[in-house]
Amino acid sequence: MSHQLPDVQATAPEVTVGLSQVGVTDVTKLVKIARDGKRPLILMAEFEVFVDLPSWRKGADMSRNMEVIDETLEAATREEVDRVEDVCGDAAERLLEKHDYTSRAEVSMQAEFMRREQTPATDRETQHTVDIVASATATEEGTREEIGAHVVGMTVCPCSQGMSAARAKQKLEDLEIAEAKITEFLNEIPQPGHSQRGHATLTIEAAGDPEVDLNDVIDVARDAMSARTYNLAKRPDEDHMTFEAHSDAKFVEDCVRSMAEGVLEQFDHLPDDAVITMSQSNDESIHQHNAHAERIVEMGTLREEVNGN
């Protein structure tokens, strides 16, 4: 005679309080990203999976959650995907379908992404490491997917650079250099300013298929800072980066605003309800603190603000 085990997960809890997120974290899977005419990129991705839990149910049935996410992500391992965020969207929709008590399912992932590129002056091939993020939220109204990246670059402080320029101007005047020559020199040769490593984050969330290329997201975030940085740099490359950065000194606030301009230029096709998250954090070199600025805004509002200016 067989005995059916009780479904404790479905019983009522002692404290009838609903939970917004119940699930699992630190789930590692391989994901293949397709490339035209090339072997796919292999990502070692770390996933988080959550569903909401109504007040009348004791547990979310972790075994079922893991079964669904394993089933979805194992399929993604076998098959190449065009967009990494689609893996999250597929998994979130499966979770919503499998759990009759769930009204919201969320799947997010992080992974290291490698890109090949050329150094700016010596044109040598090198690799660039980017932390990418993707997520999806599935509800009865539909699924919204998000793709983004955390990138590293270089910034120069305009304030300290301005003080250096004033000192240089004073010295050149003391040497009785003509005013026109001083102006020409300072316009051509940017003066010192304290520089720091900058960390830019850009994510784009939208419903349906927003056609957001991850490489474009990375480029917009990198170009919002004073200069790009590279893993490999010979002396001409170092000179190039230093000159470029000091020619485009930016406060942390300027970087976020530059990112906003880049988003409008690169992703003009996005719908007004697409949510753009932009942040910049600088590891200050002459201070013990760091500087931070960010903005979370819908695309329609961003268009209005920039066009209004």
Side-chain angles (χ1 to χ4, degrees), residues 236-300:
D237 301 308
E238 293 173 351
D239 178 62
H240 175 91
M241 285 184 280
T242 304
F243 186 85
E244 286 294 312
H246 283 78
S247 298
D248 192 17
K250 289 179 178 178
F251 291 120
V252 67
E253 300 93 334
D254 295 325
C255 294
V256 174
R257 292 185 174 115
S258 293
M259 211 181 307
E261 285 187 318
V263 167
L264 289 177
E265 181 179 342
Q266 186 65 49
F267 304 110
D268 185 56
H269 63 281
L270 288 175
D272 284 345
D273 67 347
V275 178
I276 314 299
T277 300
M278 303 167 287
S279 72
Q280 177 74 27
S281 296
N282 289 345
D283 300 335
E284 293 290 311
S285 59
I286 65 171
H287 305 293
Q288 291 187 340
H289 60 264
N290 294 331
H292 182 85
E294 67 178 57
R295 180 70 190 281
I296 301 174
V297 62
E298 288 192 342
M299 191 70 175

Side-chain angles (χ1 to χ4, degrees), residues 187-259:
N187 285 339
E188 292 292 328
I189 308 297
Q191 296 305 294
H194 75 82
S195 61
Q196 46 272 321
R197 180 171 293 179
H199 306 270
T201 301
L202 172 62
T203 67
I204 298 174
E205 176 200 323
D209 185 0
E211 297 183 3
V212 175
D213 190 316
L214 175 60
N215 286 294
D216 292 337
V217 173
I218 294 169
D219 289 337
V220 168
R222 292 182 80 188
D223 290 336
M225 289 177 274
S226 296
R228 292 188 176 194
T229 56
Y230 297 82
N231 282 334
L232 172 66
K234 304 296 287 182
R235 289 182 66 185
D237 301 308
E238 293 173 351
D239 178 62
H240 175 91
M241 285 184 280
T242 304
F243 186 85
E244 286 294 312
H246 283 78
S247 298
D248 192 17
K250 289 179 178 178
F251 291 120
V252 67
E253 300 93 334
D254 295 325
C255 294
V256 174
R257 292 185 174 115
S258 293
M259 211 181 307

Side-chain angles (χ1 to χ4, degrees), residues 24-35:
V24 294
T25 63
D26 299 328
V27 180
T28 304
K29 294 290 179 183
L30 291 176
V31 176
K32 297 178 184 177
I33 300 182
R35 296 187 297 172

Side-chain angles (χ1 to χ4, degrees), residues 11 38 50 58 114 118 135 147 198 226 261 288:
T11 61
K38 299 179 181 179
F50 299 109
K58 186 176 183 64
M114 300 293 292
Q118 307 299 121
S135 67
I147 185 66
S226 296
E261 285 187 318
Q288 291 187 340

Side-chain angles (χ1 to χ4, degrees), residues 17-179:
V17 173
L19 303 175
S20 56
Q21 285 189 328
V22 177
V24 294
T25 63
D26 299 328
V27 180
T28 304
K29 294 290 179 183
L30 291 176
V31 176
K32 297 178 184 177
I33 300 182
R35 296 187 297 172
D36 291 338
K38 299 179 181 179
R39 290 182 297 177
L41 290 175
I42 308 298
L43 300 181
M44 181 75 78
E46 189 173 283
F47 287 85
E48 293 185 348
V49 182
F50 299 109
V51 296
D52 64 339
L53 191 66
S55 60
W56 51 263
R57 186 180 174 95
K58 186 176 183 64
D61 194 347
M62 294 299 179
S63 297
R64 183 181 300 178
N65 281 349
M66 280 307 303
E67 182 180 354
V68 172
I69 198 65
D70 263 8
E71 175 186 304
T72 303
L73 297 182
E74 286 297 333
T77 302
R78 291 190 298 272
E79 303 294 333
E80 298 177 13
V81 295
D82 293 324
R83 307 188 318 159
V84 65
E85 62 268 37
D86 287 343
V87 176
C88 297
D90 185 26
E93 290 171 359
R94 286 171 179 261
L95 282 167
L96 195 64
E97 181 182 343
K98 292 286 187 179
H99 296 79
D100 53 8
Y101 58 81
T102 291
S103 61
R104 180 185 181 91
E106 302 174 37
V107 177
S108 62
M109 61 145 282
Q110 298 184 38
E112 239 184 23
F113 183 59
M114 300 293 292
R115 296 202 311 176
R116 292 191 179 277
E117 61 184 4
Q118 307 299 121
T119 55
T122 59
D123 202 34
R124 298 192 177 201
E125 187 174 281
T126 184
Q127 295 187 32
H128 177 241
T129 306
V130 178
D131 292 326
I132 63 171
V133 293
S135 67
T137 301
T139 65
E140 293 180 355
E141 285 72 39
T143 302
R144 293 181 66 88
E145 294 181 350
E146 181 180 50
I147 185 66
H150 306 295
V151 304
V152 176
M154 178 180 176
T155 65
V156 172
C157 176
C159 188
S160 64
Q161 187 180 57
M163 291 185 286
S164 295
R167 181 183 290 108
K169 185 174 186 296
Q170 182 61 57
K171 181 60 179 177
L172 292 170
E173 288 175 349
D174 293 344
L175 294 172
E176 299 182 350
I177 305 298
E179 188 71 25

